[in-house]
Amino acid sequence: MKVIAGLGNPGAEYANTPHSIGFEVVDALAREIGATWKSSSSFNGDLATGMLGSVKVMLVKPMTFMNLSGNCVAPVVKYHNAKVAEDLLVVSDDIDLPVGKMRVRKGGSAGGHNGLKSVIERVGTPDFIRLRIGVGRDARNRANVVGHVLGKFGPDDRKVMDEVVAEAVKAIGTIELESTEIAMNRYNGWMATSA
């Protein structure tokens, strides 16, 4: 069982914000594979199971708020006897990547991302696959991190993010059905045409 966790914040007020782009990607993937979300109080999250090609996947949206994402992801990984290094893929926003780009990598630090930090702490290792979605920084005030990641996408960025989300679903397919290395080669230099 492959576990694909999209990080975000629950609630309508956080929809269409950079910090919840991980939710958007796994929502798009669920639609693509015909998986239905079910709320799980025992895992503190929304879960959806389906087939991505020949691979069985468990999609996860932690409903814990970003800083406690690991409290949902780690128990799901443990319950399904998933191997963290091979079977866990986490999708999150990245302010250090410009809007319109994404990056696939295996392992590494949390890079200041509290959701990734929580997952690393709870699964006990940083050695899992990440798909980081570029959301850039506030052009007027680069230090305004919280306001930026919790602010709504404007129409121009929204158009770009729609393209990125669709491509991120393809990147996940490449990771799960081919390899992380192929996905890195294919997508780490990719740029949205609308960016």
Side-chain angles (χ1 to χ4, degrees):
M1 174 80 77
K2 300 287 188 176
V3 176
I4 303 169
L7 303 189
N9 283 312
E13 66 270 35
Y14 297 109
N16 193 36
T17 65
H19 224 23
S20 290
I21 197 68
F23 278 8
E24 288 190 38
V25 172
V26 291
D27 278 338
L29 180 57
R31 287 191 298 273
E32 178 91 10
I33 66 173
T36 305
W37 291 104
K38 292 182 175 66
S39 180
S40 169
S41 56
S42 52
F43 288 117
N44 296 309
D46 290 352
L47 309 177
T49 309
M51 296 298 294
L52 178 58
S54 59
V55 177
K56 190 169 188 185
V57 294
M58 169 64 72
L59 309 183
V60 183
K61 291 193 295 186
M63 293 290 132
T64 54
F65 287 95
M66 187 63 80
N67 295 3
L68 299 174
S69 296
N71 292 358
C72 168
V73 175
V76 171
V77 168
K78 185 175 181 185
Y79 180 82
H80 291 287
N81 293 316
K83 296 179 181 71
V84 173
E86 297 159 32
D87 299 331
L88 176 60
L89 166 60
V90 177
V91 185
S92 67
D93 60 301
D94 188 336
I95 60 171
D96 293 319
L97 273 178
V99 171
K101 291 189 78 74
M102 59 181 149
R103 179 157 296 138
V104 179
R105 74 180 288 192
K106 189 149 190 183
S109 74
H113 193 288
N114 289 329
L116 286 173
K117 182 180 175 190
S118 174
V119 172
I120 291 167
E121 285 172 358
R122 288 300 310 274
V123 300
T125 176
D127 297 331
F128 52 85
I129 305 159
R130 298 100 182 278
L131 174 57
R132 296 165 85 128
I133 308 296
V135 297
R137 288 181 179 264
D138 185 332
R140 293 179 302 280
N141 179 7
R142 289 181 60 79
N144 179 29
V145 173
V146 173
H148 176 65
V149 298
L150 296 181
K152 300 286 186 184
F153 285 118
D156 291 344
D157 283 348
R158 180 69 262 168
K159 184 179 173 193
V160 176
M161 295 316 294
D162 288 345
E163 184 182 346
V164 172
V165 167
E167 201 66 27
V169 169
K170 294 178 188 172
I172 291 171
T174 303
I175 291 165
E176 302 298 8
L177 300 174
E178 298 181 65
S179 73
T180 304
E181 288 70 29
I182 290 172
M184 289 167 70
N185 289 334
R186 191 172 293 166
Y187 293 103
N188 286 359
W190 179 86
M191 185 75 178
T193 56
S194 52

